[in-house]
Amino acid sequence: MVLPKIGIVVPVYKVKKDFLDICVNSLLKQTYQNVQIILVDDCSPDNCGAVCDEYAKKDKRVKAVHHKKNLGLPSARNTGINHLDVDCTWVTFVDSDDWLDLNCCEKFVSYLNKWNENPDMVIFSGCKNYPDREVISEPAFDNETWFRGVEDINKLQKTSMEFIKNNLPDNSINLDSACWRFVSVKFLDKNNIRFINVPYREDGLFFLYTTEYAERIVYIYEPFYHYRSTENSMVNMYRPNADYEHKLYLQQVWKFINHFHKEQDFTDSVYYTVLLSMEICITQKFFNANNPDSFLKKQKECGNYFKEFPYRNIFKKIDIKQLRRNHYIKAIAIKYHLYYGLVILRNVYNILNRKQNYT
């Protein structure tokens, strides 16, 4: 039996100590012990850096790395990759307020030893953990679904872009998160793949490039990952630069499309993600409760922003009847410039679902 060394990268910035302890202990107590844990303190202004150092002193499998200034999540993850021991063959990423099942690495290795071929990436599943309950994700595909070759990879990429359609269960988790996956370190280095330094959706860009270069990817339905959802999570925050952040992300997506000469069917699928960006810009910036501007100014700025590319083409590119119900209703509101209606819909949805986040 092959016992590969697994690197686990944890970016750390302004996280509650209790949450960080739960996260790191879930890694230290893995039933599979051949792991290296890289804690990247992204110049956190609190005591997080000292906590990372304490863990490194207690266990030789832990390495604490400190940024001299805050560089953001993509850079922190890249730092973690670059500090892996040379004998680490796999890497996974865990956010500092989340955690893994204790048998995650052991079961992953058991799959590796079972297969007759080596994948470049293994995608697994997870749970959403709310303050009062845990919701286990439904499977996106059958267990041990393999993706090989251009046609399969294109299908996987399109599925990730079309997340708000009905082709995945409502209770499934985003395929393109950097978490809930193991990636071959050799594969990353060979293809010079790292996270692109954008403030939003760096995970999605990382997913596109890893899938584009990969020869073999496998999906396993194992809900190892626990994603902590709170009222203060990013989806609920006021982000005054949300429109600019989404613009940077979409520019990078079109750069990817042009560089790899992607087919039109993939480009069309991207517009479902464009619609999701519009929804988020409305709720995080333009009509967020903490936006101090007047209603008329919000309405005007939002309308003008959506006249830009690629937003202006949205309803020529997607079939809104294919959307999940909540996204269908929101698309209607956007189409007829009833932007504030999205905020009302979201508030009602949160009340009915005890403030559960949208997918």
Side-chain angles (χ1 to χ4, degrees):
M1 176 178 288
V2 179
L3 299 175
K5 189 171 185 178
I6 300 170
I8 306 174
V9 174
V10 184
V12 179
Y13 184 76
K14 293 177 69 172
V15 61
K16 293 181 180 179
K17 185 179 184 301
D18 290 348
F19 291 174
L20 182 57
D21 288 340
I22 291 171
C23 173
V24 178
N25 283 318
S26 79
L27 310 180
L28 292 173
K29 295 178 181 178
Q30 286 291 306
T31 54
Y32 182 83
Q33 292 287 296
N34 193 19
V35 300
Q36 182 187 28
I37 301 162
I38 309 291
L39 303 179
V40 183
D41 165 32
D42 193 23
C43 198
S44 189
D46 49 22
N47 198 42
C48 283
V51 174
C52 293
D53 287 335
E54 284 299 314
Y55 277 112
K57 290 177 183 177
K58 292 177 181 178
D59 196 306
K60 64 181 181 181
R61 295 174 300 163
V62 179
K63 180 186 292 186
V65 183
H66 302 275
H67 283 171
K68 294 183 179 180
K69 62 179 181 178
N70 178 248
L71 298 176
L73 183 57
S75 293
R77 286 175 173 160
N78 289 339
T79 294
I81 297 172
N82 295 336
H83 279 81
L84 293 172
D85 288 344
V86 293
D87 57 341
C88 275
T89 54
W90 293 91
V91 62
T92 190
F93 305 93
V94 179
D95 289 344
S96 57
D97 52 354
D98 299 337
W99 68 95
L100 294 180
D101 280 349
L102 299 185
N103 65 350
C104 172
C105 293
E106 180 182 7
K107 293 196 74 173
F108 166 63
V109 171
S110 71
Y111 275 104
L112 289 180
N113 284 293
K114 170 184 174 183
W115 296 326
N116 294 322
E117 53 184 323
N118 294 321
D120 296 311
M121 182 163 65
V122 177
I123 303 170
F124 54 95
S125 191
C127 311
K128 289 183 179 179
N129 287 81
Y130 299 94
D132 60 345
R133 71 200 187 284
E134 176 179 273
V135 180
I136 300 175
S137 172
E138 296 180 52
F141 307 101
D142 292 335
N143 190 40
E144 296 185 77
T145 296
W146 286 76
F147 299 88
R148 306 176 181 88
V150 175
E151 186 174 336
D152 278 359
I153 298 300
N154 189 56
K155 174 187 175 183
L156 183 59
Q157 291 175 337
K158 285 184 61 181
T159 301
S160 73
M161 285 291 171
E162 297 175 350
F163 189 76
I164 62 175
K165 285 174 61 176
N166 284 321
N167 58 348
L168 287 177
D170 286 341
N171 196 29
S172 58
I173 56 179
N174 299 44
L175 287 170
D176 60 1
S177 170
C179 305
W180 47 85
R181 71 196 57 246
F182 291 95
V183 190
S184 163
V185 177
K186 181 179 179 180
F187 162 75
L188 291 178
D189 290 341
K190 175 184 175 182
N191 294 289
N192 196 28
I193 298 174
R194 291 294 187 268
F195 287 89
I196 297 173
N197 195 20
V198 292
Y200 168 79
R201 294 280 288 156
E202 76 289 336
D203 300 56
L205 297 172
F206 184 76
F207 180 82
L208 288 179
Y209 280 92
T210 50
T211 52
E212 189 68 24
Y213 282 106
E215 295 181 6
R216 291 172 297 276
I217 300 170
V218 60
Y219 171 88
I220 56 174
Y221 180 58
E222 296 281 0
F224 295 136
Y225 195 94
H226 292 264
Y227 166 74
R228 186 188 301 274
S229 183
T230 65
E231 285 188 66
N232 295 321
S233 61
M234 185 176 291
V235 73
N236 296 308
M237 291 172 57
Y238 173 48
R239 298 177 68 84
N241 295 319
D243 51 345
Y244 177 67
E245 294 171 356
H246 283 254
K247 181 183 291 187
L248 290 178
Y249 161 67
L250 291 172
Q251 285 174 348
Q252 288 290 338
V253 172
W254 255 267
K255 181 179 178 180
F256 170 85
I257 290 170
N258 294 328
H259 180 78
F260 291 104
H261 307 290
K262 300 296 288 184
E263 298 291 338
Q264 188 62 44
D265 64 336
F266 173 77
T267 304
D268 290 343
S269 73
V270 172
Y271 279 92
Y272 289 94
T273 293
V274 173
L275 178 63
L276 186 59
S277 285
M278 296 171 81
E279 295 176 14
I280 297 172
C281 284
I282 290 169
T283 55
Q284 285 191 347
K285 178 183 177 175
F286 293 114
F287 285 92
N288 188 280
N290 292 314
N291 185 337
D293 294 335
S294 68
F295 178 87
L296 290 178
K297 185 176 181 181
K298 294 174 184 177
Q299 183 76 8
K300 182 178 180 180
E301 287 186 352
C302 188
N304 287 338
Y305 180 65
F306 290 154
K307 290 178 182 178
E308 298 179 9
F309 174 85
Y311 305 109
R312 63 173 179 262
N313 299 325
I314 188 71
F315 295 108
K316 296 178 182 179
K317 296 291 186 177
I318 66 171
D319 180 0
I320 63 173
K321 294 179 181 178
Q322 296 186 35
L323 298 171
R324 297 176 183 176
R325 183 176 60 182
N326 61 328
H327 292 286
Y328 171 78
I329 296 171
K330 289 187 283 186
I332 293 293
I334 292 174
K335 184 175 183 179
Y336 293 102
H337 305 166
L338 304 173
Y339 307 127
Y340 186 64
L342 265 72
V343 179
I344 297 174
L345 288 168
R346 182 179 173 196
N347 290 340
V348 171
Y349 184 90
N350 284 342
I351 291 171
L352 294 175
N353 293 274
R354 298 182 185 180
K355 298 182 179 180
Q356 175 177 328
N357 293 338
Y358 274 118
T359 54

